[in-house]
Amino acid sequence: MHNFFDFISNDIEVKKTFLSSLPTKTKTNIKKYNSSIDEFVKKYTSYRESVFNYIKAKKKALNVPEVKKDFNKVNKKIEILEKGRNLLNPLNTSYEKMGFDDLLYRMSNYYVFNFESIDNLINEFIDKFALAGINLEAKDFKYNYYVHRYMDVFLSVRAELKTQDDLNVTFEEIYWVNPDIISHIEINFRKLIKKNMRKFDSYIAKIRKEYIKEYYISSYNSCIEKLKSAYLEKEKLNDEDISDIVEKAINKEFDISQYLESSKFRKSAYSSFLSENVDINDKENMKVICSLLSKLSFNLEEYEGYLSILPIIDSFKKEYEDIKDKKNNNSSELKSIQSSIKKEEASLAKINTKILRGNKDKNLKMESINITKKLKELYRKYDDEFFKSRVLSILNPNMTVSDVLELFLSFDYFKKLTIQKVYEINDYNEVIKQSNIYDEFAKNPTNLIVKGLPVFEKNNIPRIIANKYKLNNLLITEEDITPDNLDALKNKIALITRVNKINNSNTTVEKIWFIVNANKIIEKMKAE
Amino acid sequence: MLNEKVDFDLSLLSLEELIEVFNDIDSFIQYLIDSKIEVEKEDGNA
């Protein structure tokens, strides 16, 4: 007795032979021929329907129920702890904690934004001052004549005493005389920030105190420890279960047919890491091996992340390599710039007073623009020296990559400037994209390798990883761990760990293969 | 044509055979549709 599969295989051949033997020269022939085809189509359509219904029912019976995962709780935990990381960071000041560095970076890239965004940016500045109890008024914006004019109207619009049109007209008038108006507003804000630094310090101290009271986290280190636990908790939630594996197979994130026992790819994945002596059917043994492979995969992810931000680390290394062994201090440079700023601002203030008192001399206005330009450069230099002073305060020959990551995380403005330089990008959106990639890696407290990696030495991470796992009898060499090969390695590890999970579950690789292919058939029939 | 008995019980098929038999049937239906000949307008013997 033949089964249905054998029957169909045979019957199709028989029918094809039969059709090919029919004459098709005359109209009658053709009519008979087509009639046979119609008869066969009808028969086979009914077969198809029966098989389709059976496949649907079988798929339903084999389906793996989805396990709903709730990330809300752990995400909320991480959000709160990241707030603590910012507030308790010992490296940076209230200036960074208030987010002024981010605002100033955006303002210095004003040319990529539209007019409305600039207004929103100025509003954000004013709102931050308000948080610290500082109510900015027109009299605070006397950096130069044009800044005062613009901000006077701006604040009136904000208080709904004037309209947006009034502001647009004012901008139009000012811009052609002073195209750098927005840079000048930026410096005015810098001056105001400097002037009110004590108030920002108090404000940050206050919310830090409230945070400590509310969340019982009193130190930066304990915050990082808690963040590490939260990240690990999230990773555990993220860990694939069988329903995740099935979903990924259906979505073609990997090819399930490569997971079948007969697949060459599967055989090569095992032999890439395990010697022939290893009994892959020994469950206890495979449990240990899969645990090791998961750790290896984790290390490879970290290596991949490290490679993506390596240009930033290299740039730091290049800049500070020669002075890492010396006792360095740039406080005299800082003082010198501060005194230059003070001197120029004093000159500017004298000129502004004359203008605001009604002096119509055009030269005075031009002079105020020139001095403002000088001050812009001085403030930039001050920023550079300030960042340098923070670096010098922790610079030593034994600094780790992790220390450098923290440094750039703490000073957003410098991170972005460095990104612009090392990746040679000037497009604002590209800078933000790269900055986000950096943050995602640098913020991860579960990173292992970079914690012990000395930044001023030549490091061979592939060797460090390979040697570790060789000790655990995994077949992996330094030559396997190249940037181009990382994805292939991770895919092989994923195969082994997934097959292991499947083998320890109620389903099998074959059943998942069936579910995936049944799904394809169902989707196809829906579309017809 | 075979005169042997056929057991149409699909539960006898393996999972792989089920998918394959569906695909074979589906392909054959398409083959049949593509094989139909359009009748031309004029002559030919009756």
Side-chain angles (χ1 to χ4, degrees), chain B residues 2-43:
Chain B
L2 287 173
N3 286 323
E4 290 208 37
K5 271 194 148 183
V6 181
D7 189 335
F8 286 87
D9 183 355
L10 293 172
S11 68
L12 295 176
L13 302 190
S14 71
L15 296 176
E16 198 182 340
E17 283 171 340
L18 261 175
I19 298 293
E20 210 177 316
V21 83
F22 179 92
N23 288 334
D24 287 347
I25 291 170
D26 195 48
S27 301
F28 184 55
I29 293 171
Q30 197 54 52
Y31 169 88
L32 290 168
I33 293 169
D34 293 342
S35 300
K36 269 186 111 163
I37 301 173
E38 253 189 59
V39 181
E40 277 166 25
K41 275 230 170 122
E42 42 68 48
D43 74 316

Side-chain angles (χ1 to χ4, degrees), chain A residues 459-493:
Chain A
N459 297 301
N460 187 335
I461 295 179
R463 186 182 295 172
I464 292 171
I465 295 176
N467 286 350
K468 197 275 174 192
Y469 291 97
K470 268 192 216 160
L471 289 171
N472 297 117
N473 296 321
L474 286 184
L475 300 176
I476 183 151
T477 65
E478 173 184 337
E479 290 73 30
D480 293 328
I481 306 175
T482 62
D484 291 337
N485 202 31
L486 289 175
D487 278 344
L489 280 175
K490 286 192 294 176
N491 286 338
K492 285 180 184 173
I493 292 173

Side-chain angles (χ1 to χ4, degrees), chain A residues 104-355:
Chain A
L104 283 164
Y105 183 80
R106 282 154 61 195
M107 198 156 222
S108 65
N109 283 282
Y110 68 86
Y111 46 85
V112 305
F113 298 128
N114 60 27
F115 191 68
E116 194 192 310
S117 312
I118 296 297
D119 280 353
N120 290 340
L121 210 43
I122 297 175
N123 276 321
E124 279 187 70
F125 267 107
I126 296 172
D127 290 342
K128 283 200 193 286
F129 276 76
L131 279 177
I134 304 158
N135 195 23
L136 291 174
E137 297 169 358
K139 65 176 171 59
D140 294 310
F141 295 95
K142 286 186 178 171
Y143 210 77
N144 66 32
Y145 168 76
Y146 299 104
V147 170
H148 180 71
R149 239 186 96 198
Y150 185 80
M151 288 306 295
D152 187 21
V153 178
F154 184 95
L155 289 166
S156 301
V157 171
R158 192 175 149 108
E160 293 176 5
L161 298 169
K162 284 196 171 148
T163 67
Q164 186 64 35
D165 276 342
D166 294 326
L167 189 62
N168 295 348
V169 165
T170 309
F171 184 80
E172 279 289 318
E173 285 169 7
I174 294 173
Y175 183 82
W176 299 109
V177 183
N178 179 14
D180 285 331
I181 176 65
I182 292 169
S183 295
H184 298 173
I185 294 171
E186 178 200 327
I187 309 172
N188 200 137
F189 273 116
R190 282 179 183 268
K191 186 180 176 190
L192 287 168
I193 290 165
K194 201 161 53 105
K195 180 181 161 191
N196 290 286
M197 211 57 226
R198 289 230 171 95
K199 289 193 179 165
F200 294 126
D201 288 341
S202 302
Y203 171 70
I204 292 294
K206 178 180 143 236
I207 59 171
R208 183 165 46 222
K209 201 172 168 184
E210 283 166 7
Y211 180 89
I212 290 170
K213 196 174 169 188
E214 189 174 349
Y215 299 111
Y216 303 101
I217 302 165
S218 59
S219 79
Y220 181 72
N221 287 339
S222 81
C223 185
I224 298 298
E225 278 308 306
K226 286 189 156 67
L227 254 174
K228 189 174 171 181
S229 302
Y231 267 73
L232 287 170
E233 188 186 326
K234 187 168 178 175
E235 241 165 65
K236 209 167 172 193
L237 254 183
N238 245 341
D239 204 19
E240 284 175 349
D241 57 29
I242 298 294
S243 74
D244 293 324
I245 295 171
V246 173
E247 196 183 329
K248 286 181 182 179
I250 289 174
N251 293 336
K252 295 183 190 160
E253 286 182 41
F254 67 90
D255 181 359
I256 186 69
S257 59
Q258 287 183 336
Y259 286 41
L260 295 165
E261 261 194 77
S262 54
S263 152
K264 278 190 185 150
F265 182 85
R266 172 170 158 158
K267 290 188 175 91
S268 109
Y270 278 89
S271 62
S272 293
F273 296 103
L274 308 175
S275 74
E276 281 167 9
N277 318 336
V278 173
D279 181 3
I280 60 175
N281 296 314
D282 179 337
K283 285 199 169 180
E284 275 311 307
N285 198 25
M286 282 313 292
K287 190 177 172 189
V288 171
I289 288 171
C290 285
S291 164
L292 279 171
L293 286 172
S294 295
K295 288 181 183 155
L296 170 58
S297 188
F298 187 75
N299 295 147
L300 294 174
E301 289 262 7
E302 187 182 338
Y303 179 49
E304 201 169 27
Y306 170 78
L307 287 173
S308 72
I309 57 95
L310 187 55
I312 296 172
I313 304 296
D314 283 345
S315 153
F316 176 87
K317 191 174 166 177
K318 196 172 166 191
E319 192 166 343
Y320 292 99
E321 180 117 58
D322 293 340
I323 59 170
K324 68 181 189 302
D325 296 309
K326 306 178 187 163
K327 263 208 158 167
N328 302 286
N329 192 311
N330 69 338
S331 55
S332 58
E333 284 92 340
L334 269 170
K335 280 197 179 115
S336 156
I337 298 170
Q338 272 173 317
S339 95
S340 299
I341 289 174
K342 205 173 170 184
K343 183 174 152 214
E344 296 293 340
E345 281 182 344
S347 307
L348 188 59
K350 278 193 189 143
I351 294 173
N352 287 338
T353 309
K354 285 183 190 166
I355 297 170

Side-chain angles (χ1 to χ4, degrees), chain A residues 1-5 7-8 10-12 14-16 19 24 26-28 30 33-34 37-38 40-41 44-45 47-48 50-52 54-55 58 62 510-511 513-514 517-518 521 524-525, chain B residues 1-2 4-46:
Chain A
M1 170 114 73
H2 288 287
N3 70 22
F4 185 67
F5 178 78
F7 163 72
I8 290 291
N10 205 50
D11 193 54
I12 287 175
V14 164
K15 285 179 165 56
K16 278 183 176 175
L19 285 172
T24 53
T26 67
K27 255 195 197 175
T28 313
I30 292 172
Y33 173 84
N34 283 341
I37 286 190
D38 287 341
F40 296 160
V41 167
Y44 269 73
T45 303
Y47 287 152
R48 185 172 65 177
S50 304
V51 176
F52 180 62
Y54 186 82
I55 285 175
K58 191 81 181 169
L62 294 177
E510 287 70 25
K511 287 178 183 171
W513 177 91
F514 175 82
N517 284 282
I521 288 170
K524 181 175 181 271
M525 294 299 278
Chain B
M1 281 235 226
L2 287 173
E4 290 208 37
K5 271 194 148 183
V6 181
D7 189 335
F8 286 87
D9 183 355
L10 293 172
S11 68
L12 295 176
L13 302 190
S14 71
L15 296 176
E16 198 182 340
E17 283 171 340
L18 261 175
I19 298 293
E20 210 177 316
V21 83
F22 179 92
N23 288 334
D24 287 347
I25 291 170
D26 195 48
S27 301
F28 184 55
I29 293 171
Q30 197 54 52
Y31 169 88
L32 290 168
I33 293 169
D34 293 342
S35 300
K36 269 186 111 163
I37 301 173
E38 253 189 59
V39 181
E40 277 166 25
K41 275 230 170 122
E42 42 68 48
D43 74 316
N45 301 333

